[in-house]
Amino acid sequence: MEPYKINIQPTNRPAIIKFEANKFLTRKQNYEFKNVDDAKNSPLAKQLFYLPFTKTVYISGNFVAIERYDIVEWADVQDEVAEQIENYLNSGEPVIIEDDTTPSKVPVTIYAESTPNPAALKFVSNKKLVLSTYEFKNIEEAKDSPLASGLFHFPFVKEVFIDENYISILKYDIAEWDDIVVELREYIRLHIEEGKDIVSDNAQSKTTDAAETPNNNKSVDTSNLDDTSKQIIDILEEYVKPAVASDGGNILFQSYDKESKTVSVILQGACSGCPSSTFTLKNGIESMLKSMLVDKVNEVVAING
């Protein structure tokens, strides 16, 4: 099982800092603890209150946020706190001890949203579902995702794509969206509401740019990439991915050929298999990269994931 890792994230309030984990810490509700007595049901928060500068502890989703008193600066202590939280999580001790006041169900809202691909629909949640991107082409690939595996039992579900707070479903032509959207939305809502896993720890994520190849899905150290490839990845992350995500899809950098000046990208989710998306994205990305990386890019090849 992958160990917990903590990433330090500043906030817009200097006194508060977030310690983000690579896994969920809690799903059912958010917690705020003002003192050590408040934290009786959270051994982790209780431990953090032994730090003399801890004023308030928040635990939500995949992060712990701490508000400090002014007796220290975060720059002087944040690394030690991150290490303490990481060590605690990897010890296997509970983050929250549930009691009678803990809700048995997760309140969640799901709504359906159209995409540029008529064969794909996007189901958006008001809660964070996953911390990485997952794409499943069939029920066999979905064996480590209870939600995706369940969706594949509907005969009209062709592919499932899961990102931070939404699920994109590609359907076969045997059904129209008007006839199946309510059924799918309710299935997804109940699955999340009952606190069932979206994906297991063994699920293979597909998030890392240049880090994915269609053949092995193994991460590649981006430090081995040339400077142009790194620039392309930065441009895709900042300018392209947010727009693609709003349409229920994702884009991954695959390769850059220095000789031919060709960039290859992989389209996922609602963008995969959609002729209009492929054409629009390819031309849009091509124009952007040509403009921003003068004389370094001649062509973009868009590959359906």
Side-chain angles (χ1 to χ4, degrees):
M1 184 178 293
E2 184 183 9
Y4 282 95
K5 295 180 182 178
I6 294 296
N7 183 38
I8 300 170
Q9 292 290 338
T11 71
N12 56 7
R13 294 178 58 185
I16 299 178
I17 201 165
K18 288 171 66 175
F19 299 89
E20 289 191 348
N22 58 332
K23 303 180 188 180
F24 281 98
L25 308 180
T26 178
R27 284 187 180 273
K28 289 189 175 180
Q29 67 181 93
N30 304 325
Y31 298 87
E32 179 180 349
F33 306 106
K34 294 289 188 181
N35 52 57
V36 71
D37 290 334
D38 274 355
K40 63 181 184 297
N41 290 336
S42 175
L44 173 57
K46 196 171 183 178
Q47 186 181 107
L48 292 170
F49 274 111
Y50 289 125
L51 301 171
F53 51 81
T54 298
K55 182 178 181 181
T56 308
V57 176
Y58 311 86
I59 301 178
S60 176
N62 69 315
F63 69 84
V64 177
I66 301 177
E67 182 180 8
R68 61 168 173 79
Y69 288 107
D70 291 337
I71 58 174
V72 297
E73 295 295 329
W74 274 123
D76 299 326
V77 297
Q78 63 185 25
D79 291 336
E80 289 80 1
V81 176
E83 183 179 3
Q84 180 177 335
I85 294 173
E86 192 172 284
N87 289 339
Y88 179 89
L89 295 174
N90 284 314
S91 73
E93 294 297 315
V95 175
I96 301 291
I97 298 174
E98 296 184 355
D99 57 20
D100 293 339
T101 64
T102 304
S104 59
K105 293 188 176 182
V106 180
V108 63
T109 300
I110 301 290
Y111 67 89
E113 195 174 271
S114 61
T115 76
N117 186 349
L121 207 62
K122 180 180 176 184
F123 294 85
V124 185
S125 167
N126 63 331
K127 291 188 175 295
K128 184 178 286 191
L129 303 177
V130 292
L131 305 178
S132 300
T133 299
Y134 299 87
E135 184 178 40
F136 307 103
K137 298 287 190 180
N138 52 58
I139 195 169
E140 185 178 358
E141 288 186 4
K143 65 182 184 298
D144 293 321
S145 171
L147 176 56
S149 182
L151 288 169
F152 275 113
H153 282 88
F154 293 96
F156 43 75
V157 171
K158 183 180 180 182
E159 297 178 19
V160 178
F161 178 80
I162 306 175
D163 208 343
E164 185 172 345
N165 72 322
Y166 69 86
I167 299 141
S168 287
I169 296 177
L170 274 72
K171 70 173 180 67
Y172 289 106
D173 292 337
I174 61 172
E176 297 298 326
W177 283 120
D178 288 345
D179 299 326
I180 61 177
V181 63
V182 174
E183 185 179 12
L184 287 172
R185 186 177 62 208
E186 187 66 5
Y187 179 86
I188 293 169
R189 186 188 68 79
L190 287 174
H191 185 100
I192 298 169
E193 184 182 76
E194 292 171 5
K196 297 177 181 177
D197 285 343
I198 308 299
V199 295
S200 71
D201 290 340
N202 296 323
Q204 182 75 52
S205 69
K206 296 187 176 182
T207 57
T208 310
D209 281 318
E212 304 291 337
T213 68
N215 297 324
N216 56 31
N217 292 329
K218 292 181 179 178
S219 294
V220 177
D221 187 350
T222 54
S223 63
N224 295 327
L225 298 175
D226 59 83
D227 290 341
T228 303
S229 293
K230 292 177 182 177
Q231 288 178 300
I232 293 168
I233 291 170
D234 289 341
I235 292 169
L236 293 178
E237 286 285 339
E238 184 172 357
Y239 298 103
V240 182
K241 276 200 171 187
V244 173
S246 69
D247 286 336
N250 188 40
I251 185 167
L252 298 176
F253 169 84
Q254 186 189 44
S255 64
Y256 170 68
D257 188 304
K258 189 175 181 180
E259 297 300 320
S260 64
K261 300 180 181 179
T262 299
V263 178
S264 295
V265 297
I266 301 172
L267 304 181
Q268 295 180 314
C271 299
S272 179
C274 177
S276 61
S277 293
T278 304
F279 179 78
T280 303
L281 279 172
K282 175 190 178 306
N283 289 336
I285 297 167
E286 195 171 277
S287 298
M288 181 183 296
L289 293 177
K290 284 181 177 179
S291 173
M292 300 179 76
L293 300 174
V294 181
D295 296 330
K296 292 183 178 179
V297 174
N298 284 336
E299 182 186 13
V300 171
V301 176
I303 304 165
N304 289 319

